[in-house]
Amino acid sequence: LTAMQSTFGVINLSIVNGQPRVLNLLELLRNFIEHRVDVVRRRTQFELRQAEARAHILEGLQKALDHIDAIIKLIRAAKSTAEAREGLIQQFEFSEIQAKAILEMQLQRLTGLERQKIIDEYDELQLKIADYQDILASETRQRAIVSEELAEITAKYADERRSVLIPWDGE
C-alpha cells in the first residue's frame, strides 16, 4: 500500500546580485562556486591585512631592539606615556602603532632569544604575506582553494547514497 515512486517539487529561489531569481541547477552551481571564490578572496584579504599589521609592529620592535638603550633613556625621562610615545615617534620615526607596541613591550623581550623569536616571526609573516598576495592575484589558486575546501567537506560528511536513481522508461 505504499507508493512505488514519489515526486516532489523544488523551487531554486536564490538571491543573485541582490535580486531574487529562480535558477536552474547549472546556474545554482555556478553562483555557489562564485560565492565560495568570493569568500576565499575576502578571507584572504582579511588575513593579509592582519599579517601586514603584525609585520608593521614587528618591524618597529626590531628597530627598537637595535636602539634599545636610547629608547629606555627616552622613556625614563618622559613624564607621561603620551610624552614617551611622542618622543618615540619624533626621535626614531616610529608610527603611532609601533610606538604603542614598544611602550607595551615587557622587559623580558629584550633578551637575545626573544629578539630571535621576533625575527623568526617576522620572516614567517613575510612568507604568509607573499602567499596571500599570490592567492589574491591568481583566480586559479582561489578556485583550487575552493576545490580543496569542498573536498574536505565531502570527506568529512559524505556517506553512501541510500536511494537509487534509475532511468525512466515511461512505464
Side-chain angles (χ1 to χ4, degrees), residues 58 62 65 105-122:
L58 291 174
Q62 286 178 345
L65 289 173
M105 183 173 65
Q106 297 174 348
L107 290 176
Q108 71 183 15
R109 297 200 70 183
L110 301 178
T111 63
L113 182 63
E114 287 295 321
R115 176 187 205 102
Q116 189 59 43
K117 284 183 182 178
I118 290 172
I119 292 169
D120 292 344
E121 183 181 354
Y122 180 76

Side-chain angles (χ1 to χ4, degrees), residues 1-2 12 29 46 55 66 74 81 98 117 126 128 159:
L1 297 174
T2 61
N12 291 325
L29 289 172
F46 173 77
D66 292 340
L74 185 142
T81 305
Q98 289 173 332
K117 284 183 182 178
Q126 290 302 315
K128 284 183 180 180
D159 60 354

Side-chain angles (χ1 to χ4, degrees), residues 89-158:
I89 292 170
Q90 291 173 1
Q91 189 171 347
F92 296 99
E93 299 176 355
F94 289 117
S95 70
E96 183 84 25
I97 296 168
Q98 289 173 332
K100 183 179 177 191
I102 290 166
L103 290 173
E104 291 174 354
M105 183 173 65
Q106 297 174 348
L107 290 176
Q108 71 183 15
R109 297 200 70 183
L110 301 178
T111 63
L113 182 63
E114 287 295 321
R115 176 187 205 102
Q116 189 59 43
K117 284 183 182 178
I118 290 172
I119 292 169
D120 292 344
E121 183 181 354
Y122 180 76
D123 292 340
E124 182 181 318
L125 274 175
Q126 290 302 315
L127 293 174
K128 284 183 180 180
I129 288 170
D131 186 45
Y132 294 149
Q133 290 171 339
D134 182 53
I135 290 170
L136 290 174
S138 171
E139 189 169 334
T140 306
R141 257 233 35 234
Q142 294 169 11
R143 290 185 178 278
I145 291 171
V146 169
S147 179
E148 290 169 11
E149 290 175 355
L150 291 176
E152 288 174 13
I153 291 170
T154 301
K156 186 174 181 179
Y157 296 108

Side-chain angles (χ1 to χ4, degrees), residues 12-45:
N12 291 325
L13 182 64
S14 298
I15 305 292
V16 179
N17 298 326
Q19 299 293 321
R21 288 187 45 207
V22 176
L23 305 175
N24 62 33
L25 188 57
L26 185 59
E27 292 171 332
L28 192 67
L29 289 172
R30 280 188 184 139
N31 281 299
F32 174 73
I33 291 169
E34 288 307 314
H35 167 70
R36 292 301 307 161
V37 169
D38 188 46
V39 167
V40 168
R41 190 177 306 117
R42 287 180 183 205
R43 180 180 61 215
T44 304
Q45 288 170 344

Side-chain angles (χ1 to χ4, degrees), residues 46-59:
F46 173 77
E47 290 172 347
L48 177 62
R49 283 192 307 270
Q50 295 291 100
E52 287 174 339
R54 180 66 182 155
H56 180 68
I57 290 172
L58 291 174
E59 287 170 357

